[in-house]
Amino acid sequence: MIQIVTTKGGVRDCVATARRRGESVALVPTMGALHDGHISLIEAARAAAGFVVVSIFVNPTQFGANDDFDRYPRDLDGDIGRLELAGANVAFAPEPGQVYPEGTQTSVVPGKLAERWEGEVRPGHFEGVATVVAKLLNIVGPDAAYFGEKDYQQLRVIEQMARDLDFALEVVGCPVIRDSDGLALSSRNEYLTEDERRRAAAIPHALEGVADAVSAGETDVAKLEAAMRGTLETSGFAVDYAVLVDPATLEPLEALTRPARVLVAARIGRTRLIDNSLVTPPG
Ligand code: AMP
């Protein structure tokens, strides 16, 4: 039976009880509106840890003034049902005042990894992410925390934060879970109209196009990026970025002489989607 807690003290008590039973503890931070991508993280956490805490918190500090905080999908009852089926032990669903009590003034400012791409399009986003993740890690005190590669830059920022700030835990990255047409599952897919949802397959197609061209020997980064942009724009997307980067530093690559992360962010209608993949040149 899942325990639903809304306070820091409540979640700490649950974790302390599990620790007394000798169980290891995993945390899966989410913003709710749970889908199979989230569930895959919970399954990975369950395979490694005896006690799995899933946080559900739409974190206001990682949304900018023009972002979608107000309309972000929320479905706590549905989420609890899914968590129960997935075998999570605790759902931690705090109110904003619990996480950011009156008088809060400290935050975590990530470094260079957070500057480009999402960091540039969404100023302050990664400061909000790093701060809330640091707080959740300190509240729950897990042995491991699970994040999706879907938000690849976020995963890198959190790995770096854990290292730089000496969090004594393992940060585990999990593969992107996709729909049958290749679109990465995302709570934001709910915003798409039927027509936009059909067009959204252009994102995985753009990523597959890069993989195919690379397998065929293409190493010209500018050409690969232009082809992605073309695929996305033809389907009606406005492209924020479509780039090949160093998988560790996220700095742009001049030539494809080693494995690269392909990062994409694009907008259609009122929806902004992100995705990524790894490409490795042959030989
Ligand atoms: P969110 O609720 O969007 O903040 O996501 C919570 C966690 O789930 C983050 O670590 C995401 O990277 C991860 N996640 C979201 N979508 C997917 C997906 N399609 N596949 C794998 N992980 C995902």
Side-chain angles (χ1 to χ4, degrees):
M1 191 62 188
I2 192 165
Q3 291 173 279
I4 302 160
V5 296
T6 58
T7 64
K8 293 188 259 196
V11 74
R12 281 190 172 126
D13 287 346
C14 292
V15 169
T17 307
R19 293 259 184 233
R20 279 196 292 274
R21 288 195 300 263
E23 288 169 351
S24 63
V25 177
L27 172 65
V28 182
T30 82
M31 297 203 299
L34 300 180
H35 50 65
D36 286 349
H38 299 113
I39 301 303
S40 74
L41 305 186
I42 295 162
E43 283 167 357
R46 278 191 66 200
F51 196 76
V52 176
V53 178
V54 180
S55 59
I56 297 176
F57 181 59
V58 185
N59 173 37
T61 67
Q62 71 189 68
F63 288 80
N66 299 320
D67 283 348
D68 53 348
F69 177 73
D70 288 333
R71 69 183 186 115
Y72 196 84
R74 290 162 171 90
D75 175 20
L76 189 56
D77 290 343
D79 288 346
I80 301 292
R82 298 216 65 182
L83 290 181
E84 193 135 38
L85 279 176
N89 299 93
V90 174
F92 175 43
E95 292 295 324
Q98 196 44 226
V99 180
Y100 301 108
E102 196 67 32
T104 298
Q105 46 179 276
T106 305
S107 65
V108 177
V109 182
K112 203 166 163 43
L113 269 172
E115 277 172 16
R116 293 182 192 267
W117 322 128
E118 287 306 280
E120 196 171 329
V121 181
R122 305 181 68 189
H125 171 65
F126 285 123
E127 182 172 341
V129 168
T131 302
V132 81
V133 170
K135 287 170 69 73
L136 291 168
L137 294 175
N138 283 332
I139 292 165
V140 175
D143 302 290
Y146 288 74
F147 298 88
E149 287 185 353
K150 160 74 171 46
D151 301 279
Y152 187 76
Q153 189 175 12
Q154 168 175 285
L155 172 63
R156 287 292 305 115
V157 165
I158 290 166
E159 285 172 340
Q160 187 72 37
M161 175 188 80
R163 182 178 135 177
D164 291 348
L165 300 185
D166 302 302
F167 280 91
L169 54 86
E170 192 187 354
V171 174
V172 183
C174 300
V176 183
I177 304 299
R178 300 177 177 281
D179 221 335
S180 53
D181 65 346
L183 182 66
L185 298 185
S186 165
S187 307
R188 290 190 167 96
N189 293 353
E190 289 184 25
Y191 300 151
L192 298 168
T193 64
E194 224 172 280
D195 176 56
E196 289 166 351
R197 175 63 189 81
R198 230 175 297 115
R199 289 166 181 270
I203 295 180
H205 286 164
L207 294 174
E208 284 156 22
V210 174
D212 291 346
V214 169
S215 301
E218 184 59 75
T219 57
D220 185 328
V221 169
K223 262 196 201 159
L224 292 164
E225 292 178 349
M228 275 198 286
R229 204 168 264 274
T231 302
L232 293 165
E233 287 175 354
T234 305
S235 290
F237 276 91
V239 179
D240 282 343
Y241 56 81
V243 290
L244 279 79
V245 303
D246 180 287
T249 65
L250 308 186
E251 292 296 310
L253 284 183
E254 310 261 291
L256 192 63
T257 51
R258 55 201 161 90
R261 267 285 155 181
V262 189
L263 303 179
V264 173
R267 288 168 281 121
I268 192 159
R270 295 172 68 212
T271 307
R272 184 170 182 279
L273 299 175
I274 63 171
D275 200 350
N276 72 90
S277 63
L278 184 70
V279 287
T280 305

